[in-house]
Amino acid sequence: MSSAPQGMGGLFRNRFVQAILLSGLFLQIGIWVRNFAVLLFVMDQTNGDPFAVSMISVAEFAPIFIFSFIGGTFADRWKPKRTMVWCDVLSAVSVFAVLLTLVFATWKAVFFATLVSAILSQFSQPSGMRLFKIHVPAELIQAGMSIYQTMFALFMVLGPILGTFVYQHYGIQVAIGIMGVAFLLSAAVLLFLPSDREINEEKPATKLTEEMAAGFRYVLSQKALSTLGGCFLSAGLALGLIQPLGVFLVTERLGLPKENIQWLMTANGVAMIIGGGLAMGLSKKFAPQTMLIIGMVVSAFGMIVTGLSTSLWLTLTAQFISGLVLPAIQIGINTMILSNTEESYVGRVNGILNPLFMGGMVVTMSLAGWLKDMFHIVAMYEAAAVLFFIGVIVMLPLYRTGVKRQAGSAGEA
């Protein structure tokens, strides 16, 4: 691991942190312009056809199920810097190919742009986690994750505004062009990362299926990671249960027009930005499992209040508080993964845990409409809170015993 001055000043002087943050900035611009420009374009082309709109989500989320573990396994095999650069370049190439298709053929090609970049991200994201493991000192990983998550939180608020503005003022072709340029700029920035280290020792040749099986065995053998998997599943089930119900919360519980959902989203997004800054300052004082448990408990109470409230200001307050602790949850999870996983397994661990969360969320999202017809919307939010509390109970053994934070200790457990 590269040596670096200690403290936040040393973190910002870290060459890797500088490059990965700038790369992440360009990627967030490209992703959010893609998400909202494609959404609005498809709605215009189909007159708001629900099936066509839902296919955008399929193109975004299906690769997480299909390619997450495969991508994580290859990320452990390949050199991480080279993998990330090539993924960004190939994303840009696919985007420009779609731009040509839009000019000469069919508008439906926009689905291809979303699908390809979503697939490539399943190879790039775990490679980025490996680079964090390699280039950031162990005691600064949590602070580094705090900065990274704060940037994501910022784009949760600014991203929809940016994507909508670009599409409405310049159209889909300019939006797709911006996507391609953003991916290329990200690749260019990553070229300034330290070179991938050469591994001199000879390793026995293994099959891809053997490495996948080794990844599952590794997660099951590490108490911290298997426990985190249970927490992931519980949180995914909870969030999927209430994710589609926000508009009904506004119309049925608050008795307001559906357009007022924007205020709930704004309160949540602004709180995430503030929460990211707070989490950055507290990351040196609290262990990651402590931040995760506190975040989940506060979120659970936020869900309870949100479901019970019939007052706009109380609902906004609950949404704000929930958004405030969301960065702490994300930072706690990512730090625990990195601190308790050997570098050679980082990709596969990500590829196993992330689909648990997404799978749980998709299952309950698909049932949410049916369950709402059977039960009151209040019951849905309270059930989500119970699932979050179950996730906290699953995590309690790690909170009591403490998780070893040294990278090498994961292999000794």
Side-chain angles (χ1 to χ4, degrees), residues 47-107:
N47 294 317
D49 178 56
F51 177 76
V53 172
S54 68
M55 284 299 100
I56 301 173
S57 295
V58 171
E60 287 180 26
F61 292 109
I64 297 176
F65 297 104
I66 301 170
F67 292 99
S68 181
F69 188 47
I70 298 171
T73 305
F74 276 108
D76 286 337
R77 277 186 162 200
W78 295 338
K79 294 180 178 180
K81 173 187 171 181
R82 183 183 297 175
T83 301
M84 293 182 73
V85 170
W86 273 109
C87 283
D88 285 347
V89 169
L90 291 173
S91 289
V93 169
S94 71
V95 164
F96 290 128
V98 168
L99 189 56
L100 289 174
T101 308
L102 278 177
V103 174
F104 297 108
T106 174
W107 64 268

Side-chain angles (χ1 to χ4, degrees), residues 126-143:
S127 296
M129 293 284 278
R130 278 190 68 198
L131 286 174
F132 248 101
K133 184 79 172 178
I134 294 168
H135 294 293
V136 179
E139 64 274 13
L140 293 179
I141 283 178
Q142 191 158 316

Side-chain angles (χ1 to χ4, degrees), residues 138-139 142 283 286-289 335 339-340 403-407 409:
E139 64 274 13
Q142 191 158 316
S283 62
F286 292 100
Q289 65 269 27
T335 305
S339 299
N340 294 279
V403 178
K404 297 177 183 177
R405 301 184 65 182
Q406 291 299 323
S409 64

